[in-house]
Amino acid sequence: MTPPDTAVLPPLPHWEQAPADIPAAVTQVKAALRARIAASGRTVEDVFAVVERQVMAEVGEIVAVRDRGEEVWPVIDYADIETGSVPAEAQALLRRRGCLVVRGHFDRDHAVGWDRGIVDYVESNHFFEHYRGPGDDFFASVRSKPEIYPVYWSPAQMQARQHDRMARVQAFLNRQWKHESDGVQWFDPARNLLYPDRIRRRPPGTDSAGLGTHLDPGTLDLWMTHGYQKAFRHVFDGTIEQYDPWDPAYRTTALQYPGTTMCSAFRTFQGWTAMSDMPHHQGVLHTVPVSGAMAYLLLRPLLADVPADDMCGVTISRAFPAVDKWHHLLLQALSGIPDVHAGDSVWWHCDMIHSVAPVANQQGWGNVMYIPAAPWCPRNEQYAPSVREAFLTGSSPGDFPAEHYERTWPNRFGFPDLNETGRRGLGFD
Ligand SMILES: [Fe+2]
């Protein structure tokens, strides 16, 4: 087949700010996307069928692996990352599944010490007496003690973020992406934005409903802003075979619609570091480990069975839902992490569907620090000044509710405690 001349395809309408009339804009952009794909000489149904075949093959393989009682999630030893000796097959599996457990990322004692350090930090500042309840509804909980601590600047978190071992794993993960394409360097894989996020400490005995299947890269902006339309150009112009989930072209400058669940940073991988042992059946993270699934998610609303003004339930300011009604095929591959130990870290591609399983009467603690891989790029550089300001004043970072518990806490991590990685990650150097 001759590739279409994409320059002559009908242009797409785009909204650089969230549209006021969402149903009208969804209707308009879906019609335009269908028309653009049709002008390439293929139908939406043809293009979707290509994606569906690929996804079906991956899902079939994942289900077979699971049925054989084998691990679906790739696991790589930190030692192999440090010495640059990750086996080729392990790297290939990481790129296919799009997720990873790093074993022994930190020494177990080191991670357990950080966990204790966080307890000391919050207790010495009487956090539990002053806690006012969840500042957002995303992780809302009726417990008086939070599971998600809105704490960003403890010595433990900062030491983990600026640790050599963290920088090395982040660089390894960033390098799974292309970072250079179309003659542009989209990001610097060797340097990461220090992205402050919260911690979770879920105590033994917890009953939790978990978190439903969703993804975090964006919402309607993924179809509607000019930057994302370019980032997903191969999905939208009939050249689906060239779509590459590891190509960041145009993403690191694309505009996003603000919302309570928005992440200002471009993350190659979302991730967390375990500060306690977590057996695989104790309400842990699951993903749909199919790295090319985003093409399916973007094309699915264009099929005829979805109402004209509906993006399969995606809307602004709510996490992008993955639901059985529209994404049944993908959700069959939903796979939990294996048992993890304090000091292991867990990573998943930023476009990946994930969830947290429910748990009743949890055995042991479930404690993690959220630390992503967010390489230095225009978008992340733009967020950095507000992170620096929040760091210097002990404030909650801009992506999170304005709770500001730590402003008066004397023992938070200070400027003199930064090493070179920390200074570069905050943009001080
Ligand atoms: Fe999420």
Side-chain angles (χ1 to χ4, degrees):
M1 190 189 115
T2 323
D5 180 359
T6 53
V8 300
L9 296 179
L12 294 170
H14 55 92
W15 291 260
E16 299 309 284
Q17 289 172 351
D21 185 343
I22 289 174
V26 168
T27 305
Q28 197 187 339
V29 82
K30 280 174 60 167
L33 288 164
R34 289 184 63 90
R36 186 172 167 89
I37 293 172
S40 77
R42 307 169 87 173
T43 64
V44 169
E45 286 70 22
D46 290 342
V47 170
F48 184 74
V50 171
V51 175
E52 196 175 31
R53 270 197 302 277
Q54 290 168 353
V55 168
M56 214 177 271
E58 289 298 321
V59 170
E61 148 89 12
I62 289 161
V63 170
V65 167
R66 197 196 298 145
D67 288 351
R68 291 199 299 270
E70 295 167 12
E71 253 351 307
V72 172
W73 274 66
V75 177
I76 291 177
D77 286 331
Y78 170 76
D80 288 345
I81 294 174
E82 185 176 287
T83 54
S85 54
V86 175
E89 318 81 73
Q91 199 143 319
L93 191 65
L94 159 60
R95 291 163 58 85
R96 195 162 157 199
R97 298 266 198 268
C99 57
L100 178 68
V101 172
V102 177
R103 279 276 182 244
H105 187 166
F106 296 100
D107 289 340
R108 184 195 163 74
D109 292 350
H110 202 160
V112 170
W114 277 335
D115 190 48
R116 229 176 2 247
I118 287 169
V119 173
D120 291 345
Y121 179 66
V122 297
E123 285 186 346
S124 66
N125 291 295
H126 309 286
F127 169 65
F128 298 122
E129 290 95 301
H130 297 143
Y131 182 60
R132 298 183 295 266
D136 63 20
D137 53 11
F138 193 58
F139 291 109
S141 144
V142 294
R143 303 172 60 84
S144 53
K145 260 195 182 183
E147 285 173 17
I148 303 286
Y149 295 9
V151 165
Y152 306 89
W153 308 116
S154 67
Q157 285 161 292
M158 287 299 289
Q159 285 163 15
R161 290 170 190 147
Q162 68 170 9
H163 202 285
D164 283 353
R165 286 179 173 234
M166 184 55 74
R168 215 167 273 136
V169 169
Q170 287 168 330
F172 169 77
L173 292 166
N174 292 338
R175 287 203 171 89
Q176 305 309 311
W177 288 65
K178 267 181 177 165
H179 73 264
E180 261 184 51
S181 61
D182 286 8
V184 177
Q185 177 167 8
W186 301 102
F187 64 74
D188 176 356
R191 179 181 180 186
N192 279 271
L193 169 71
L194 191 149
Y195 185 80
D197 201 329
R198 305 182 273 200
I199 60 151
R200 188 193 74 184
R201 296 189 77 253
R202 216 168 59 188
T206 297
D207 296 323
S208 168
L211 262 188
T213 43
H214 70 282
L215 49 159
D216 298 315
T219 59
L220 291 178
D221 35 20
L222 301 172
W223 291 270
M224 288 187 173
T225 65
H226 189 53
Y228 279 114
Q229 288 170 351
K230 283 171 79 177
F232 295 117
R233 61 204 175 284
H234 296 304
V235 179
F236 297 145
D237 68 7
T239 55
I240 190 67
E241 287 79 3
Q242 292 171 52
Y243 166 67
D244 178 358
W246 304 100
D247 180 359
Y250 308 105
R251 288 190 75 146
T252 56
T253 51
L255 291 174
Q256 294 177 285
Y257 298 154
T260 49
T261 61
M262 188 189 77
C263 174
S264 296
F266 168 69
R267 296 176 287 191
T268 54
F269 285 79
Q270 293 181 251
W272 48 254
T273 301
M275 297 184 291
S276 67
D277 298 341
M278 281 170 275
H280 68 275
H281 44 74
Q282 295 300 314
V284 297
L285 180 82
H286 284 56
T287 60
V288 172
V290 177
S291 57
M294 192 50 150
Y296 189 105
L297 293 160
L298 291 170
L299 288 169
R300 186 67 189 81
L302 307 184
L303 298 189
D305 60 338
V306 184
D309 62 356
D310 182 5
M311 269 314 184
C312 295
V314 179
T315 191
I316 290 163
S317 212
R318 283 224 320 264
F320 186 136
V323 293
D324 206 49
K325 181 176 182 189
W326 305 121
H327 312 118
H328 178 73
L329 173 62
L330 286 168
L331 294 180
Q332 290 172 51
L334 191 67
S335 302
I337 54 172
D339 294 347
V340 298
H341 309 290
D344 294 345
S345 60
V346 171
W347 305 89
W348 63 102
H349 185 293
C350 59
D351 289 343
M352 191 153 277
I353 298 168
H354 54 284
S355 67
V356 180
V359 62
N361 188 22
Q362 178 180 285
Q363 304 303 299
W365 285 87
N367 301 350
V368 308
M369 289 193 239
Y370 298 103
I371 304 178
W376 204 256
C377 65
R379 176 185 292 181
N380 294 351
E381 189 166 2
Q382 206 179 350
Y383 186 55
S386 74
V387 176
R388 282 199 292 278
E389 172 68 18
F391 167 66
L392 292 171
T393 58
S395 304
S396 301
D399 276 356
F400 297 90
E403 296 165 282
H404 307 310
Y405 286 104
E406 296 168 85
R407 282 182 176 169
T408 56
W409 296 8
N411 48 348
R412 63 174 199 261
F413 187 93
F415 183 84
D417 306 319
L418 289 171
N419 65 15
E420 192 191 341
T421 303
R423 286 193 301 273
R424 277 167 58 79
L426 289 164
F428 284 117
D429 284 4

